[in-house]
């Protein structure tokens, strides 16, 4: 049966159904864990969410009664690339599909989960609909009508499930329980069983109380500590709970994870905000700001604490290294050794953990408060919390005598800049020339790397976005014109005001300056315009960054060229080879090269040149020689053209594949030091050789005869002359040969210059054009 996942922005993914049937709405999110799908499915923190698993095969170890995080499946829907129909694990009692059916959860498989995750990363978490009965249009509408996660109180919706200490004990199976030394009251906002299991296994007697238990009721139970659980929904909505927790602060040691951490933060006066796409997976690096040590953690939360609102007397102890968001806070931090929360359970049971400094590597967000004054630190054996695989330590020297009147010990940790912490979940790149061959490949490459990608689009009387349309408008939403993976801004290299405005708006971390009048022959016809765009345009870009005071924030890549070597002074050409440009294009680009270097040296900017040799692709402009040849070969082979006219057949070029070269642009900007690099294959071929190979790929064997302007390429089979020389394609001054030496890039950047060999490049282009020439042209 067909199933549809529709997002509120109009994206639609069609696959096959498993589990229950029907229609469900929720927030679409993704989880990157390789294992732990049963824990994910039963984790109450996932309530209200349609979860996409990025690991490609899900269900292979079935489900079992011991690993559940609660008594039932909690997710609103489940999305996988491939569902394992047959499970194989001695602990399993059932396969995932039938179990989900019983649990009433709709599943979809056979969809591109990588695409979904990439889309949610760049566009942000969205309302979604999973259905086996609606049309795509109806499903999109249903997604749009679903409640938003922001402002949603799901804790009350799922309800609490109080448990006696005996019921908690019964959750631990197959293990001898240690004596319970301390009494913990655990607030249930959607608590996970694994937390309870681990608290119990570490000597805590745990009583689970409902979410709305009052401070007075908790204190009447006289606990040694209070634990605030994880849970779903927006923490800001739980105002009455914030109030009760605030009333406990100073009276009893307390710690919380995920939602619990956010509730303590609210109780202390901080605020939370919705993360763009949440933290869900088993590999989130978290840094302890005090020790500098990093642990790899398992996380599941869609909100985070806003560091700008954390009061001065609260210490930020942990940050997420992916996006610098707050992962841990503590009050009276001088007293608190460390509060590592129990496991979220997405780690395989019993797997060893060996992250230095952290004995346990689980769920990230946590908060702890201790009501002590500045008493001298006491030994660990006086701690009242000793949890999480026996290693979590919450030091409180006088556990039962903490006077609330003594106030909190204040400790504040300096933070990274706020804009890194809250708003920029990924690096931001700005590409000039995004509509060109390289720009389009680079945009795809950077989106894959998780960048937020912006591009400069110049005004044109006809569409110039053909190469990036698939990024601009998703194939599923062409009609709805919504789903944008890239952001385009009108601007022009000849207009500094537009460049300043765009850079100011976008605040890029990296600029790739690819925009240029890039045709060498045309530069003889429009030399002044070429200089304006390619030379002064580069200056404008550099100046815009400087004017905006972004010299230190923003790295700039300048698209330099092998045309600088022109009349070559040595073979092969490397970074130290003297320049001798041979065209207005080459001369303009030489200015671009030097001004980039000059700004680097003058203003200490990370501004670098990639001296790229020719690189081609199926997206190459149609009047560059390689594409002109492959298009002609495809048309001639299919009876759509008679003859191809070319210029200098003896010209030698070092041709690579553009898709490989954009990786280098990125690598150059990631290098530790700002340096210029030659990017080439180290192999050169004549235009004639390219022609022979391209026609062969199209099924035609060429024989060459004659010399100079009289040279011809004849079809060996039919005798027809298919290629002739036309002097109008000669250039006033020719670059006869170019051959690059990519040793520096190979050595310092680890780049492989021959990942697409020359013959493969020709094949890719011809195969593409054999189909392309047959597609109708639309105006
Ligand atoms: P391309 O396909 O010709 O693309 C050039 C891009 O620049 C297009 O997006 C174009 O926009 C834009 N552009 C042109 N004039 C502009 C202006 N005044 N303001 C704003 N945008 C403008 O070139 P490419 O092959 O991708 O090459 C990218 C860069 O690398 C160029 O700087 C080129 O000189 C350099 N380079 C290329 C090679 C190579 O073999 N491909 C080798 C070395 C260096 P429209 O789409 O609107 O025309
Ligand atoms: N365009 C074109 N058209 N070139 C021809 C033709 C023809 O009909 N016949 C022979 N050629 C020769 C040119 O004279 C040149 O020697 C060689 O083929 C390559 O020409 P192009 O494909 O136009 O590229 P280019 O080398 O001049 O310039 C490209 O590479 C540079 C890097 O070396 C462009 O992408 C530049 O922007 C880039 O900087």
């Amino acid at each position: 049966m067909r199933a549809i996942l529709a997002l509120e922005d109009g994206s639609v993914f069609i696959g096959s159904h498993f589990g229950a049937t029907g229609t469900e709405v929720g927030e679409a999110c993704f989880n990157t864990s390789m294992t732990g799908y049963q824990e994910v499915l039963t984790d109450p923190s996932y309530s209200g969410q349609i979860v996409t698993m990025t690991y490609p095969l899900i269900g292979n170890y079935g489900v079992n009664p011991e690993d559940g995080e609660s008594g039932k499946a909690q997710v609103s829907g489940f999305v996988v690339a491939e569902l394992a129909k047959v499970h194989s694990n001695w602990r399993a009692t059932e396969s995932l599909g039938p179990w989900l059916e019983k649990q009433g959860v709709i599943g979809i498989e056979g969809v591109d989960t990588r695409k979904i995750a990439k889309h949610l990363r760049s566009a942000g978490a969205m309302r979604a609909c999973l259905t086996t009965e609606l049309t795509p249009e109806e499903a999109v509408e249903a997604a749009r009508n679903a409640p938003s996660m922001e402002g949603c109180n799901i804790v009350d919706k799922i309800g609490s499930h109080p448990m006696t200490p005996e019921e908690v004990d019964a959750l631990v199976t197959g293990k001898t329980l240690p004596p319970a030394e301390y009494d913990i009251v655990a607030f249930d906002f959607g608590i996970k069983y694994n937390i309870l299991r681990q608290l119990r296994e570490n000597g805590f007697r745990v009583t689970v109380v409902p979410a709305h238990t009052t401070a007075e009721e908790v204190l009447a139970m006289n606990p040694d500590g209070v634990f605030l659980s994880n849970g779903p929904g927006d923490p800001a909505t739980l105002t009455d709970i914030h109030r009760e927790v605030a009333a406990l602060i100073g009276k009893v040691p307390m710690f919380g994870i995920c939602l619990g951490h956010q509730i303590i933060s609210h109780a202390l006066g901080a605020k939370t905000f919705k993360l763009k796409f949440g933290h869900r997976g088993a590999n989130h690096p978290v840094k302890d700001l005090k020790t500098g040590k990093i642990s790899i953690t398992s996380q599941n939360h869609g909100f985070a604490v806003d560091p700008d609102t954390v009061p001065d007397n609260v210490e930020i102890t942990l940050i997420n290294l992916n996006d610098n968001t707050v992962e841990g806070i503590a009050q009276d931090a001088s007293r608190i050794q460390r509060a590592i929360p129990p496991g979220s359970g997405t780690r395989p049971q019993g797997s060893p953990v060996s992250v230095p400094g952290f004995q346990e590597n689980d769920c990230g967000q946590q908060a702890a408060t201790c009501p002590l004054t500045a008493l001298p630190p006491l030994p660990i054996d006086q701690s009242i919390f000793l949890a999480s695989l026996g290693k979590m330590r919450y030091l409180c020297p006088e556990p039962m005598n903490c006077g609330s009147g003594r106030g909190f010990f204040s400790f504040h940790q300096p933070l990274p800049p706020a804009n890194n912490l809250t708003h920029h979940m990924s690096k931001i790149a700005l590409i000039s020339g995004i509509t060109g061959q390289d720009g389009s490949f680079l945009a795809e490459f950077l989106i894959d790397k998780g960048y937020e990608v912006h591009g400069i689009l110049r005004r044109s009387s006809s569409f110039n976005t053909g190469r990036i349309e698939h990024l601009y408008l998703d194939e599923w939403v062409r009609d709805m014109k919504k789903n944008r993976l890239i952001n385009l801004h009108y601007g022009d290299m000849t207009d500094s005001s537009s460049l300043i405005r765009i850079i100011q708006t976008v605040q890029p971390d990296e600029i790739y300056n690819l925009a240029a009048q890039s045709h060498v022959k045309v530069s003889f016809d429009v030399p002044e315009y070429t200089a304006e765009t390619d030379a002064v345009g580069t200056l404008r870009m550099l100046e815009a960054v400087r004017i905006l005071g972004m010299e230190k924030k923003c790295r700039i890549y300048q698209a330099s060229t092998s045309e600088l070597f022109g009349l070559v002074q040595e073979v092969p050409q490397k970074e130290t080879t003297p320049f001798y440009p041979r065209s207005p294009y080459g001369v303009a680009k030489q200015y671009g090269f030097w001004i980039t270097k000059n700004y680097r040296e003058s203003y200490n900017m990370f501004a670098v040149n990639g001296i790229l040799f020719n690189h081609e692709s199926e997206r190459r402009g149609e009047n560059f020689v390689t594409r002109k040849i492959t298009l002609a070969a495809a048309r001639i082979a299919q009876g759509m053209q008679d003859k191809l006219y070319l210029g200098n057949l003896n010209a030698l070029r070092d041709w690579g594949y553009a898709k490989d070269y954009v990786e280098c642009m990125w690598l150059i900007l990631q290098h530790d030091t700002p340096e210029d690099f030659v990017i080439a294959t180290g192999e050169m071929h004549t235009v004639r050789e390219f022609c022979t190979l391209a026609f062969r790929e199209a099924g035609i064997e060429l024989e060459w005869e004659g010399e100079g302007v009289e040279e011809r390429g004849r079809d060996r089979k039919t005798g027809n002359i298919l290629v002739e020389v036309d002097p109008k394609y000669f250039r006033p001054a020719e670059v006869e040969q170019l051959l690059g030496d990519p040793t520096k890039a190979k050595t310092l950047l680890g780049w492989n210059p021959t990942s697409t060999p020359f013959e493969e490049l020709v094949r890719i282009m011809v195969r593409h054009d054999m189909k392309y020439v047959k597609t109708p042209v639309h105006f």
Side-chain angles (χ1 to χ4, degrees), residues 518 520 561-562 585 614 620 623 625 628 647 651 653 731 734:
S518 74
V520 174
T561 163
S562 48
Y585 168 82
N614 296 49
R620 186 55 144 152
N623 58 354
V625 76
K628 186 172 163 183
R653 286 293 182 276
R731 292 162 184 194
E734 173 66 302

Side-chain angles (χ1 to χ4, degrees), residues 215 241-251 254 263 266-268 408:
I241 298 176
H242 304 163
R243 201 174 45 243
E244 296 305 323
V245 170
L248 287 171
I249 292 174
K251 301 198 177 97
M254 206 165 8
I263 288 172
H266 273 284
L268 287 164
F408 299 134

Side-chain angles (χ1 to χ4, degrees), residues 33-204:
S33 304
M34 294 172 70
T35 61
Y37 55 81
Q38 187 183 338
E39 287 85 344
V40 167
L41 285 162
T42 52
D43 177 353
S45 296
Y46 275 114
S47 182
Q49 303 203 284
I50 296 175
V51 184
T52 295
M53 300 297 290
T54 57
Y55 188 70
L57 180 67
I58 297 290
N60 45 342
Y61 55 85
V63 287
N64 67 58
E66 289 96 35
D67 288 350
E69 292 284 9
S70 66
K72 60 174 185 153
Q74 303 278 356
V75 300
S76 295
F78 202 49
V79 184
V80 303
E82 185 182 348
L83 175 78
K85 308 285 181 307
V86 180
H87 65 266
S88 166
N89 186 288
W90 64 273
R91 295 172 71 230
T93 51
E94 208 168 349
S95 283
L96 181 58
W99 181 77
L100 276 178
E101 188 176 357
K102 280 185 218 144
Q103 294 287 322
V105 174
I106 307 170
I108 179 172
E109 68 161 326
V111 288
D112 186 345
T113 50
R114 179 177 151 81
K115 185 171 179 183
I116 296 169
K118 278 169 63 184
H119 183 52
L120 294 177
R121 274 185 66 109
S122 42
M126 276 182 243
R127 288 171 295 168
C129 171
L130 188 53
T131 179
T132 56
E133 52 198 13
L134 302 182
T135 64
E137 293 75 18
E138 288 166 344
V140 170
E141 201 49 36
R144 288 177 182 164
N145 291 328
S148 165
M149 188 57 81
E150 209 158 4
C152 200
N153 173 349
I154 305 187
V155 170
D156 286 348
K157 205 162 144 199
I158 61 171
S160 298
H161 303 89
M163 292 172 92
T164 62
E166 293 67 36
E167 285 171 319
V168 173
D169 286 4
L171 292 175
V172 183
T173 53
K175 286 183 184 159
T176 312
L177 290 173
E181 286 182 63
Y182 302 108
D183 282 304
I184 300 296
V185 166
F187 275 91
D188 177 18
F189 306 124
I191 203 163
K192 292 188 279 192
Y193 285 173
N194 265 328
I195 292 176
L196 296 171
R197 290 186 187 110
Q198 290 183 18
L199 283 169
R200 183 59 194 89
E201 284 168 26
N202 287 281
F204 294 96

Side-chain angles (χ1 to χ4, degrees), residues 314-463:
V314 175
E315 177 191 5
I316 292 178
T317 52
L318 305 167
I319 57 163
N320 187 310
L321 290 181
N322 284 342
D323 57 14
N324 280 332
T325 46
V326 175
E327 293 284 6
I329 63 163
Q331 195 167 42
D332 194 11
S334 63
R335 315 267 110 223
I336 300 163
Q337 187 78 356
R338 180 173 296 131
I340 303 302
S344 67
T346 51
R347 180 173 42 84
Q349 297 281 318
S351 65
V353 175
S354 60
V355 181
F358 280 79
Q359 315 306 322
E360 172 57 286
N361 71 343
D362 266 317
C363 182
Q365 289 200 342
Q366 53 195 274
T369 71
C370 177
L372 295 175
T373 53
L375 294 169
L378 287 171
I380 281 166
D381 60 2
Q382 286 182 273
S383 67
I384 67 149
F385 273 70
L386 182 60
S388 187
L389 304 180
K391 304 301 179 193
M392 186 198 73
R393 307 219 186 283
Y394 187 114
L395 292 186
C396 181
E398 296 173 274
M400 300 313 296
N401 301 320
C402 298
S404 56
R406 293 205 254 173
F408 299 134
F409 186 72
S410 159
F411 198 93
H412 191 73
Q413 189 84 19
L415 285 174
N419 60 350
N420 279 342
L421 281 164
T422 50
H423 307 302
H424 295 168
M425 311 319 288
S426 45
K427 272 195 191 174
I428 300 177
L430 174 65
I431 304 173
S432 76
I434 194 166
T435 55
Q437 169 190 260
D438 291 3
S440 64
F441 282 124
L442 181 65
E444 283 167 7
F445 177 85
L446 293 175
I447 289 168
D448 264 1
K449 285 252 171 262
Y451 277 67
E452 181 181 315
V453 176
H454 296 254
I456 298 178
L457 178 70
R458 68 171 171 159
R459 153 80 190 139
S460 142
S461 65
S462 52
F463 287 119

Side-chain angles (χ1 to χ4, degrees), residues 270-292:
K271 294 210 170 355
T272 48
F273 69 97
K274 187 156 173 15
L275 289 164
K276 188 174 175 191
F277 49 83
H279 293 170
R280 293 180 185 88
N283 59 352
H284 281 262
V286 168
K287 182 175 181 180
D288 183 328
L289 290 174
K290 226 183 211 151
T291 62

Side-chain angles (χ1 to χ4, degrees), residues 483-559:
N483 185 19
R484 290 180 185 175
L485 287 178
I486 49 173
N487 312 276
L488 299 180
H489 309 263
Y490 276 115
D492 201 293
M493 296 308 290
T494 59
D495 178 354
S496 357
S497 58
S498 67
L499 298 182
I500 294 171
R501 178 180 48 76
I502 294 168
I503 295 170
Q504 187 167 37
T505 310
V506 170
Q507 293 285 311
D509 302 297
E510 294 171 9
I511 293 179
Y512 296 84
N513 184 33
L514 311 186
Q517 190 300 96
S518 74
H519 202 283
V520 174
K521 173 100 191 326
V522 172
S523 76
F524 289 97
D525 302 322
V526 288
E528 193 178 323
Y529 175 73
T530 303
E532 275 295 339
T533 305
D534 301 10
V536 188
T538 307
L539 172 70
R540 290 189 186 102
M541 189 67 99
L542 292 162
E543 259 305 277
V545 171
R546 214 169 71 79
I547 289 168
L548 293 167
M550 292 171 60
E551 305 97 305
K552 295 289 168 287
K553 168 181 163 54
C554 184
R555 295 184 170 201
I556 303 167
Y557 171 89
Q558 164 60 12

